[in-house]
Amino acid sequence: FVCCVCVCACIRVCLCVVCACVRVYVCVCVLCVRVHVCVCVFSVSRYVDKVSAVRRSIPGAVTMKLLGSVSSWIIRRFGLVDKMTPFFKMSQQSLKEVLDELTDNEKLKAVLGYCWGDYGTPPCEASFVMHAMLVSHYLYGTSYPRGGPSEIPYHLTKEIEAAGGKVLVRGEVTNILTNSSGKVSGVRVRKGANSITDIPVANVISTAGIFNTFQHLLDPDVLDKHPSMDTLLNSVRHGSSCFSLFVGLRGDSRELDLPAASYWAMPSIHIDLDFDQYTNLTALEASQACPPIIFISFPSSKDPTWSKRMPGKSTCLVIGIAQYDWFSEWEDERVMKRSQEYKELKAAFTFSIWKRTLELLPQLKDRVEYMDLGTPVTNRHYLASPRGEIYGADHDKMRFSADTFSQLRSKTPVSGLYLGGQDVMTCGFVGALMGGMLAAGTVLNRNLHVEAMQLRETIKKDGVEGKKND
């Protein structure tokens, strides 16, 4: 009996010890989870603060583009630019450097930096200000044009023609012409194989990109007279190239469960490593490898008019990173008539990209009615991008340095020549739009950004007054 009592007592003691240990372990785990969550929340809060700081610094940075070249040079030369705006100091940190400062959590870094594909420069090379401007833009929401992106040029064309202008298509601009004094005098346009037309103009606004404008459209003798432009060209590099997979699907968005959203899909959280390994592969190796990042979007799901125009059909767009050198040997071959080797390589990349897409969206299997892949040389043909890039000049730290950013301005050293588009401000539709406003304002000698903000306030005020009257 005494022995049994001792055994029971020992068991009770052991159970108490075990329960106490379990409680301590659970409390420690809960505490660790709470600390981990608090650290992540704090890191995200600091990240948002940095994004907001970049947003507030943008007007000062844009001012450097609006100032005269001499004034801009003096401000940079005497170290006054950082007193005007912290933009350029922040621009010399890469996205990776900022994320490394904020957290040691690799998964959180991947989440905060996932959308680097929207400008095509990996985190270890991308300027943080580019990423911050993009994130700041998304924080205010996004939109999609009713009827699709083609509605934008359609309505712009009507406004241009209503103002007395003309929109000419299917005519390749081969040269920007200058007179004996070096001033712009016109453009040379090629229509077909044998028809060449010179159109006299006083001013040219080129949105063809800085490389096309100064290395292809202008006569080399003109560039030789402006060594500052040669220095600027050496300060920027071509952006990343890409694949574009266009897919037509059988079934509407509801049937296929297609969201009115976009995905960025990566095989791991090691973004820079995956990018480097993939882009250093040969073309054949890359065609058989998992892409380091793909963008998946469904334009038909975003357009509220699509289902009425195209019932029972859907579209999918997949974009992936590519290297121009993988396809450069076929750059001079005629589009749609390229060699069998090109077609086979293109088919291999199509298979690997679509395979990755189906891993994420298996409901699309056996629903394909149309599929075609655009390669870097496809981009070169349709976009006239020298290296198949779609985002213009690369968005690295050098592009956003005070000297380079200030000199990437609308007014060029060539009298009568102005720049617009992605290379003046940033990539993307909004970036190109800002570049267009800077170009128009420079030609008109008006600050259109200030006028636009004043117009916005007037519209807001009229809206409030209208509600009061109602």
Side-chain angles (χ1 to χ4, degrees):
F1 177 76
V2 173
C3 183
C4 289
V5 170
C6 290
V7 171
C8 291
C10 289
I11 292 173
R12 286 179 179 177
V13 171
C14 289
L15 289 173
C16 289
V17 171
V18 170
C19 289
C21 290
V22 170
R23 287 177 180 175
V24 171
Y25 177 76
V26 171
C27 289
V28 171
C29 288
V30 171
L31 180 61
C32 289
V33 170
R34 287 179 177 175
V35 170
H36 181 73
V37 170
C38 289
V39 170
C40 288
V41 170
F42 180 64
S43 298
V44 172
S45 177
R46 290 174 61 202
Y47 172 79
V48 173
D49 288 343
K50 285 182 172 290
V51 168
S52 299
V54 171
R55 183 180 181 86
R56 292 192 299 270
S57 72
I58 294 174
V62 174
T63 299
M64 293 298 293
K65 292 181 180 289
L66 298 175
L67 291 172
S69 298
V70 175
S71 300
S72 175
W73 180 85
I74 291 173
I75 291 172
R76 300 194 312 273
R77 178 68 177 81
F78 291 97
L80 301 176
V81 68
D82 289 334
K83 298 185 183 298
M84 281 183 55
T85 174
F87 181 91
F88 299 110
K89 187 174 183 180
M90 292 185 286
S91 75
Q92 294 312 290
Q93 276 192 297
S94 70
L95 172 59
K96 184 180 185 302
E97 288 169 339
V98 170
L99 295 178
D100 286 344
E101 285 181 5
L102 295 176
T103 180
D104 294 326
N105 189 319
E106 296 299 325
K107 289 184 178 179
L108 182 58
K109 292 178 188 178
V111 170
L112 296 178
Y114 81 95
C115 59
W116 66 271
D118 276 317
Y119 48 84
T121 309
C124 64
E125 299 177 3
S127 172
F128 175 69
V129 297
M130 179 62 237
H131 191 80
M133 287 188 285
L134 177 72
V135 171
S136 181
H137 166 72
Y138 282 148
L139 289 176
Y140 284 82
T142 59
S143 57
Y144 190 85
R146 278 181 184 272
S150 61
E151 290 294 298
I152 297 172
Y154 172 74
H155 288 284
L156 281 175
T157 298
K158 291 200 298 184
E159 293 298 319
I160 292 170
E161 292 177 343
K166 290 185 178 181
V167 177
L168 308 178
V169 297
R170 297 184 180 275
E172 178 189 0
V173 176
T174 60
N175 300 90
I176 296 174
L177 306 175
T178 57
N179 58 26
S180 57
S181 61
K183 186 182 184 308
V184 165
S185 60
V187 292
R188 179 162 295 162
V189 179
R190 179 167 57 204
K191 180 75 172 177
N194 302 313
S195 177
I196 299 292
T197 302
D198 289 348
I199 303 175
V201 295
N203 297 303
V204 169
I205 300 176
S206 174
T207 60
I210 185 171
F211 295 108
N212 273 331
T213 301
F214 291 102
Q215 294 180 337
H216 299 293
L217 296 179
L218 276 174
D219 190 285
D221 292 340
V222 176
L223 191 61
D224 291 341
K225 297 176 183 177
H226 303 285
S228 63
M229 293 312 302
D230 193 47
T231 302
L232 181 60
L233 285 169
N234 290 327
S235 300
V236 291
R237 62 184 186 182
H238 296 279
S240 296
S241 188
C242 74
F243 296 111
S244 299
L245 181 61
F246 304 94
V247 186
L249 300 167
R250 183 176 65 259
D252 60 27
S253 297
R254 183 176 298 179
E255 180 185 353
L256 298 177
D257 192 25
L258 304 180
S262 303
Y263 298 105
W264 281 108
M266 293 165 282
S268 79
I269 60 175
H270 307 295
I271 298 173
D272 289 303
L273 178 62
D274 291 343
F275 177 85
D276 286 340
Q277 289 180 342
Y278 184 78
T279 53
N280 284 315
L281 295 173
T282 64
L284 181 60
E285 291 171 338
S287 70
Q288 299 169 358
C290 178
I293 185 170
I294 58 172
F295 171 84
I296 308 172
S297 183
F298 308 99
S300 54
S301 299
K302 300 175 183 180
D303 180 6
T305 71
W306 176 269
S307 59
K308 294 180 180 179
R309 295 186 292 115
M310 298 288 181
K313 305 289 183 182
S314 297
T315 59
C316 175
L317 170 66
V318 186
I319 296 176
I321 292 294
Q323 288 286 76
Y324 185 78
D325 291 338
W326 291 342
F327 295 89
S328 59
E329 63 181 285
W330 299 289
E331 64 183 9
D332 294 326
E333 292 185 357
R334 185 179 174 186
V335 68
M336 306 297 288
K337 301 290 184 181
R338 293 193 171 100
S339 65
Q340 185 62 30
E341 291 83 359
Y342 170 83
K343 294 177 181 177
E344 290 175 357
L345 182 60
K346 178 177 168 178
F349 275 109
T350 301
F351 178 81
S352 67
I353 293 171
W354 189 241
K355 178 184 176 182
R356 175 61 175 150
T357 305
L358 291 180
E359 290 174 2
L360 303 168
L361 299 156
Q363 71 270 28
L364 303 185
K365 187 178 181 181
D366 301 325
R367 292 287 190 153
V368 176
E369 292 191 341
Y370 171 85
M371 182 179 289
D372 193 22
L373 181 74
T375 70
V377 290
T378 311
N379 299 340
R380 187 176 188 266
H381 174 79
Y382 288 104
L383 303 179
S385 49
R387 300 280 300 173
E389 61 269 40
I390 62 172
Y391 297 129
D394 197 30
H395 294 76
D396 58 0
K397 292 190 289 185
M398 180 61 77
R399 172 172 175 169
F400 289 98
S401 66
D403 284 341
T404 304
F405 190 81
S406 300
Q407 294 178 77
L408 279 172
R409 54 178 54 221
S410 295
K411 189 173 182 178
T412 74
V414 180
S415 180
L417 177 60
Y418 302 85
L419 297 179
Q422 295 186 117
D423 287 350
V424 174
M425 193 66 188
T426 67
C427 68
F429 178 78
V430 174
L433 182 65
M434 296 290 284
M437 288 184 65
L438 284 168
T442 302
V443 174
L444 297 172
N445 197 26
R446 290 163 52 184
N447 191 327
L448 297 183
H449 288 78
V450 172
E451 292 183 24
M453 288 188 287
Q454 292 173 341
L455 177 61
R456 181 180 64 179
E457 293 304 314
T458 300
I459 293 172
K460 283 184 178 180
K461 183 178 179 181
D462 291 345
V464 171
E465 293 296 329
K467 288 182 179 179
K468 288 181 180 180
N469 294 332
D470 290 341

